Amino acid sequence: MTGICIIAGALDGKLSRSSLELIGGARMLQGPVGQEVAAVLLGHGPGLAEAAADLHRHGVGRVYRCDHPLLTAGQTDAVLVAVEHVVRRTRPEVVLIAADTVGRELAPRLAYRLRAALATECVELGVEDGAIVVRRQVYGGRALATLVVRTRPAVLSVKPHALDVPQPAPVAGTVEDVSVAIDAGALPTRVREVLREQAELGLEDAQIVIGGGRGLGGPEGFALLAELAKQLGGAVGASRPPTDAGWVPVNWQIGQTGKTIRPALYIAVGISGATQHIAGVTGSRTIVAINRDPEAPIFSSAHLGIVGDYREVVPALIAKVKELKGA
Ligand SMILES: Cc1cc2nc3c(=O)[nH]c(=O)nc-3n(C[C@H](O)[C@H](O)[C@H](O)COP(=O)(O)OP(=O)(O)OC[C@H]3O[C@@H](n4cnc5c(N)ncnc54)[C@H](O)[C@@H]3O)c2cc1C
């Protein structure tokens, strides 16, 4: 048993950003786990060649490429078959998986099958005194638990956007095509149709995010936030109540059970600052809170606070931004 293996998904046709983030995680573990970083590349079609080249560009030497028509978005059962096949054959010490929609389900199922140690949704990976040490959020993001992982093999899932994409470090790597028999009839579930939102919000990649909460009072408030986001070149997200109420799509939700964001600027409007929400925004460089309640908990997480009714504050901000832009 040796080395680190990352599970690199190209299930949408191109290598996911979170797969590249795993390479950064693997580099942090190199040393006690050996030097070799390999990848199982999953997907279907011509995009896999570019994905393999991208892995080599970022320092992954050995790529095991699984190209199969069932290895597409959401097909976790098929992904599990392919990953288990390669991991049993190559026997890495540590398997790194992005805790995205597929990875959240894949990691525990793979760990069970391999009788491996499991740590999920890690936000930090490292080595202390020669041992693997990971940190993960607990109590709704209010605290970080530190786990020392001694058992091998170990399966670690990493929260998307918790780690940066590492700088390229090109190597002359190899690609081995692995043929995996996936019996569609034997899979317990099968994705038959994927419905996508018309507009791609890009919440997780936006450098400026405006989050709206229950305090907006209804979907109209989000139109105001959209105008501010447009002026600032940002994206709009939400706390859970507006998505539960159907004011905005569910994939706008930020927080423990929604998206994790790390923008340069996060503006929370009409959001109280519950720990489950804060868990998704702690990586923001600057947090600004707009809330009419001076005692709202959000102010203890924010770098800057504006106490006031958003219906007055946000239009004033829009006007100021327009003025500064000379519009
Ligand atoms: C297991 C679990 C998981 C959860 N996951 C998430 C998650 O991922 N993301 C998430 O967000 N929540 C999550 N929640 C819910 C979370 O606990 C809170 O209930 C939620 O975040 C509160 O949303 P809010 O701040 O928008 O609403 P509220 O707590 O109701 O706060 C509304 C705020 O708006 C302010 N306000 C009202 N009117 C105005 C106005 N006119 N101008 C300015 N301010 C105004 C009020 O002062 C108040 O502070 C989860 C809960 C559980 C139990």
Side-chain angles (χ1 to χ4, degrees):
M1 221 183 284
T2 178
I4 304 162
C5 181
I6 70 163
I7 307 306
L11 301 175
D12 283 322
K14 71 188 245 289
L15 193 64
S16 68
R17 182 197 148 99
S18 48
S19 300
L20 292 175
E21 291 167 4
L22 294 181
I23 300 173
R27 286 189 198 165
M28 292 170 193
L29 300 182
Q30 273 176 326
V33 188
Q35 294 304 320
E36 196 192 6
V37 178
V40 181
L41 175 60
L42 306 157
H44 181 53
L48 287 187
E50 179 50 34
D54 217 4
L55 289 166
H56 293 325
R57 253 195 305 281
H58 285 84
V60 176
R62 202 181 294 248
V63 175
Y64 300 97
R65 179 167 56 191
C66 300
D67 185 340
H68 194 286
L70 280 173
L71 294 174
T72 55
Q75 296 277 14
T76 312
D77 289 319
V79 168
L80 178 62
V81 172
V83 170
E84 185 185 1
H85 175 83
V86 180
V87 167
R88 279 196 189 282
R89 209 194 87 198
T90 57
R91 305 186 70 236
E93 266 193 65
V94 175
V95 180
L96 292 181
I97 297 174
D100 53 18
T101 318
V102 168
R104 275 190 206 145
E105 195 183 326
L106 174 68
R109 291 176 69 186
L110 180 69
Y112 175 77
R113 289 183 178 206
L114 300 175
R115 300 293 186 268
L118 172 69
T120 56
E121 313 235 359
C122 303
V123 294
E124 286 176 34
L125 305 175
V127 173
E128 287 173 24
D129 297 329
I132 294 178
V133 175
V134 301
R135 294 200 169 77
R136 61 190 303 277
Q137 293 176 331
V138 289
Y139 302 121
R142 212 181 298 213
L144 280 179
T146 301
L147 310 181
V148 179
V149 184
R150 298 195 197 284
T151 308
R152 301 288 189 274
V155 174
L156 311 177
S157 78
V158 180
K159 225 171 175 193
H161 291 266
L163 306 177
D164 290 324
V165 172
Q167 290 299 318
V171 290
T174 58
V175 178
E176 181 184 329
D177 281 306
V178 181
S179 113
V180 188
I182 304 175
D183 176 3
L187 299 179
T189 58
R190 177 87 191 268
V191 176
R192 301 185 62 173
E193 191 184 359
V194 177
L195 301 175
R196 291 186 195 285
E197 291 293 325
Q198 284 304 306
E200 198 44 68
L201 185 67
L203 238 194
E204 287 157 303
D205 296 320
Q207 281 304 297
I208 298 177
V209 175
I210 326 282
R214 191 180 352 233
L216 296 194
E220 317 73 42
F222 279 89
L224 207 50
L225 298 200
E227 175 60 19
L228 179 59
K230 188 173 142 208
Q231 292 303 327
L232 292 172
V236 182
S239 63
R240 189 156 108 176
T243 61
D244 282 350
W247 299 348
V248 294
V250 284
N251 65 350
W252 288 29
Q253 186 187 317
I254 299 166
Q256 186 190 332
T257 45
K259 290 188 167 148
T260 299
I261 57 168
R262 299 175 76 200
L265 172 64
Y266 177 56
I267 306 178
V269 186
I271 290 177
S272 61
T275 53
Q276 293 90 352
H277 183 77
I278 297 302
V281 302
T282 45
S284 310
R285 212 174 311 144
T286 302
I287 299 177
V288 176
I290 301 171
N291 197 301
R292 69 177 177 191
D293 174 7
E295 303 298 327
I298 186 78
F299 288 123
S300 58
S301 305
H303 302 92
L304 292 168
I306 302 173
V307 178
D309 190 315
Y310 85 91
R311 284 168 291 214
E312 291 163 16
V313 177
V314 175
L317 278 176
I318 293 170
K320 191 69 190 172
V321 175
K322 280 185 176 167
E323 183 193 315
L324 291 172
K325 285 163 69 178

